[in-house]
Amino acid sequence: MHGKIIFYEDKNFQGRSYESSSDCPDMTSYLSKCHSCRVESGCFMAYDRSNYMGNQFFMRRGEYSDYQRMNGFNDCIRSCRMIPMHRGQYRMKIYERENFGGQFHEMMEDCDNIQDRYRMSDCQSCHVMDGHWLMYEQPHYKGRMMYMRPGEYRSFKDMGMSGQRFMSMKRIMDSCY
């Protein structure tokens, strides 16, 4: 099953619209701005900068009438990525330091606080083996987030997340579809 999202230039689903069922690295190709959207199916990550950069926001089926007010960001949606449905196990190794250094732990379930569970004060790199994950800067799935799909992430700093710590991680389950 594929996701479907409709973007609107203005708040409250007003103005010109653009419909997508796939990744979109630059919304300005279709709309001059994007301040609201409807997710009709699937899950998406929205970004406030082109090419999947900047602040991220996870969206599942529903209506998002005012992107700015809802997220506290000063900008509008500039790019989005569809999150594919995953069936099967979830596995991710988190590392205390960049380049897979320091203490590490393998995770297969959500973790609301790496400090409490693993006695890790920071997570600066990871290897996602299976599934799709959201990492949050604060415990209990709060604060800014980052979408992680299968792959190796040697340095969050190199991904534009300089100074950001990740303290909780959550699996993106197929309840989006």
Side-chain angles (χ1 to χ4, degrees), residues 11 34-37 46-48 55-57 59 64-73 75-78:
K11 296 173 186 174
C34 176
H35 288 290
S36 60
C37 65
Y47 302 80
D48 67 358
N55 292 308
Q56 303 181 22
F57 181 71
M59 296 188 297
Y64 302 85
S65 63
D66 186 349
Y67 180 74
Q68 285 179 301
R69 194 185 84 235
M70 184 175 58
N71 299 312
F73 299 155
D75 211 343
C76 56
I77 299 171
R78 297 283 184 207

Side-chain angles (χ1 to χ4, degrees), residues 35-53:
H35 288 290
S36 60
C37 65
R38 275 191 181 99
V39 177
E40 294 194 354
S41 61
C43 293
F44 291 83
M45 283 307 289
Y47 302 80
D48 67 358
R49 290 176 39 207
S50 297
N51 297 312
Y52 319 114
M53 300 295 284

Side-chain angles (χ1 to χ4, degrees), residues 46-169:
Y47 302 80
D48 67 358
R49 290 176 39 207
S50 297
N51 297 312
Y52 319 114
M53 300 295 284
N55 292 308
Q56 303 181 22
F57 181 71
F58 176 71
M59 296 188 297
R60 59 176 18 122
R61 187 179 310 156
E63 296 188 340
Y64 302 85
S65 63
D66 186 349
Y67 180 74
Q68 285 179 301
R69 194 185 84 235
M70 184 175 58
N71 299 312
F73 299 155
N74 294 326
D75 211 343
C76 56
I77 299 171
R78 297 283 184 207
S79 58
C80 83
R81 189 180 295 271
M82 189 188 80
I83 300 172
M85 184 168 56
H86 175 76
R87 295 203 187 276
Q89 67 178 356
Y90 288 75
R91 288 186 328 133
M92 174 171 63
K93 283 186 182 174
I94 58 171
Y95 297 84
E96 195 172 32
R97 296 196 195 101
E98 293 178 333
N99 295 312
F100 312 123
Q103 182 182 351
F104 75 93
H105 293 277
E106 184 169 322
M107 300 174 50
M108 297 178 77
E109 297 181 355
D110 299 348
C111 176
D112 67 350
N113 190 328
I114 64 169
Q115 176 72 43
D116 290 350
R117 183 174 295 172
Y118 301 120
R119 302 291 177 240
M120 284 177 72
S121 61
D122 203 355
C123 173
Q124 295 184 10
S125 58
C126 74
H127 178 198
V128 177
M129 285 90 71
D130 295 301
H132 299 262
W133 297 75
L134 291 175
M135 297 180 75
Y136 295 82
E137 70 178 342
Q138 297 173 19
H140 309 291
Y141 318 116
K142 296 190 185 321
R144 292 190 303 171
M145 64 180 77
M146 185 165 66
Y147 167 53
M148 309 301 283
R149 55 190 185 172
E152 292 184 349
Y153 301 89
R154 294 185 169 278
S155 171
F156 299 145
K157 221 184 296 179
D158 293 346
M159 298 170 61
M161 299 294 178
S162 184
Q164 188 166 340
R165 300 168 51 154
F166 292 102
M167 300 302 294
S168 55
M169 294 81 182

